[in-house]
Amino acid sequence: MKAVALTRYLAVDDPDSLQDVTLPRPLPAPRDLLVRVEAVSVNPVDAKLRAPKPQVEAQPRVLGFDAAGVVEAVGDEVTLFQPGDEVYYAGDVTRPGCNAQYQLVDERLVGPKPTTLDFAEAAALPLTTITAWELLFERMPFAFDAEGNGLSLLVVGGGGGVGSIAIQLARHAGFRVIATASRAGTDDWCRQLGAHDVIDHRQPLAPQLQALGLETVDAAINLADTDRYWDALGELLAPQGHVGLIVEPAGALRIGDPYKSKCIGIHWEFMFARPRFRTADMIRHHQILSRVGSLVEAGELRSTLTGVLGPINAANLREAHRRMESGGTIGKLALAGWE
């Protein structure tokens, strides 16, 4: 099968950083689906794993953690899917990724592809959707089916992949959603997705929130830079508020006041925790993706895809990584089909 892989960890401008290779087609274990990959999208984790370091792989390593495709074969204990089913998923960081024509993935991590989306539109959703859903409704103490909850939520980094779906989920759950953005195009994007207000994260946040009539917010999710906004969010969050984080800090965080005096809940999210540690509830990924797929089909959520860079090959993946590392992308980029 065709695949895109690495053996050395290099800067994205190096043509050897990602290479076209040919690999054996894998065989499914008992709970595995063998998926014929039709489209993939890129995430910061891809660039982070590919980033330069001296390690050399003895065998080509395939990255990629967002895919949509068709079930080709199933293991003998599979009950959720059958050959021919169209699916989407984010997979497992401990196993070979989706930048290959065929990939093995545990059925408990897979959802039925929304019928109203094409493969590229579907591939843009899984990792960011699971991340946003788990952060808001499983790590933080909020309920998705709680329309009209009256709470305010600040989304730092609203135009990125996770922010683009978090805005939609939070709006559906009844939050007053305030997103941050720093460019006109990102501002418009956040509003299209359902943000009630958009403020500039390059400027002090407190005066902008005060101009909206908010001295504090009930909750915040920092999807951009944990260190940069740590002190500001501590001041802005209401007593007994909550902050959600997905980016590891560069240094030690000051966990004392005002976080302690306000009893602010601090919640970490890592989407790969369940598959990485084989938790008893890893089927939650299947359940979340199935629920979200139904919401997409009902027109209540939309794909966050903003561009398709062409077929799946090393050159196009390098370009996707380059754009993502530039920090200027909005929503998600995908690749579809094989040459």
Side-chain angles (χ1 to χ4, degrees):
M1 65 177 183
K2 295 180 179 179
V4 179
L6 60 80
T7 54
R8 293 185 295 155
Y9 296 86
L10 303 167
V12 71
D13 291 333
D14 191 315
D16 291 331
S17 60
L18 293 170
Q19 297 181 303
D20 294 305
V21 298
T22 301
L23 298 174
R25 185 187 301 190
L27 298 174
R31 295 298 299 269
D32 281 346
L33 309 178
L34 177 66
V35 177
R36 185 176 75 248
V37 175
E38 298 291 345
V40 302
S41 71
V42 293
N43 294 281
V45 65
D46 299 273
K48 180 179 179 181
L49 291 174
R50 194 220 72 247
K53 53 180 174 283
Q55 180 181 348
V56 177
E57 299 291 343
Q59 300 295 328
R61 181 183 182 186
V62 178
L63 302 179
F65 304 101
D66 256 338
V70 180
V71 177
E72 184 83 3
V74 301
D76 57 15
E77 295 180 13
V78 167
T79 60
L80 299 174
F81 298 97
Q82 59 187 7
D85 288 345
E86 296 184 351
V87 295
Y88 73 142
Y89 56 90
D92 180 347
V93 73
T94 69
R95 303 182 72 178
C98 62
N99 295 332
Q101 283 184 301
Y102 295 91
Q103 183 189 13
L104 295 179
V105 59
D106 190 298
E107 65 169 340
R108 290 167 288 184
L109 305 177
V110 176
K113 183 183 77 66
T115 58
T116 53
L117 301 183
D118 63 26
F119 286 108
E121 291 168 330
L125 285 175
L127 186 148
T128 54
T129 297
I130 296 169
T131 298
W133 186 289
E134 287 185 341
L135 183 57
L136 286 167
F137 310 124
E138 301 193 358
R139 314 304 176 214
M140 301 171 81
F142 305 119
F144 179 69
D145 296 304
E147 296 183 18
N149 66 30
L151 300 176
S152 55
L153 174 72
L154 177 64
V155 180
V156 179
V162 179
S164 295
I165 191 68
I167 289 170
Q168 299 181 68
L169 294 175
R171 178 69 183 250
H172 188 283
F175 284 94
R176 177 181 177 181
V177 181
I178 306 98
T180 77
S182 60
R183 292 170 291 149
T186 313
D187 183 306
D188 292 342
W189 172 254
C190 291
R191 294 183 190 277
Q192 291 171 23
L193 295 174
H196 296 85
D197 303 285
V198 181
I199 62 177
D200 187 346
H201 51 240
R202 295 183 180 176
Q203 304 299 322
L205 301 179
Q208 297 179 82
L209 288 171
Q210 290 167 359
L212 298 174
L214 293 169
E215 293 295 328
T216 62
V217 291
D218 299 299
I221 53 174
N222 183 351
L223 310 175
D225 187 328
T226 297
D227 300 85
R228 178 178 178 182
Y229 300 103
W230 183 253
D231 290 337
L233 292 181
E235 297 297 333
L236 289 173
L237 282 160
Q240 301 184 88
H242 297 270
V243 61
L245 306 167
I246 66 170
V247 180
E248 58 268 33
L253 297 175
R254 187 170 57 84
I255 307 293
D257 285 343
Y259 284 88
K260 179 183 177 183
S261 62
K262 288 184 179 180
C263 291
I264 292 171
I266 302 168
H267 309 269
W268 283 103
E269 163 61 14
F270 180 54
M271 191 228 75
F272 291 117
R274 281 171 162 138
R276 178 179 178 181
F277 295 103
R278 310 296 292 176
T279 61
D281 66 346
M282 60 187 282
I283 198 170
R284 283 294 295 143
H285 283 199
H286 167 73
Q287 295 165 346
I288 292 167
L289 291 173
S290 297
R291 177 75 189 278
V292 167
S294 296
L295 291 164
V296 169
E297 291 173 347
E300 297 182 43
L301 297 175
R302 55 176 279 191
S303 173
T304 57
L305 180 71
T306 54
V308 179
L309 298 185
I312 306 166
N313 59 37
N316 288 336
L317 272 171
R318 288 195 301 271
E319 174 62 14
H321 280 224
R322 187 193 65 77
R323 293 192 192 184
M324 187 168 52
E325 289 180 340
S326 75
T329 57
I330 299 174
K332 294 292 296 293
L333 297 173
L335 291 79
W338 295 86
E339 293 179 320

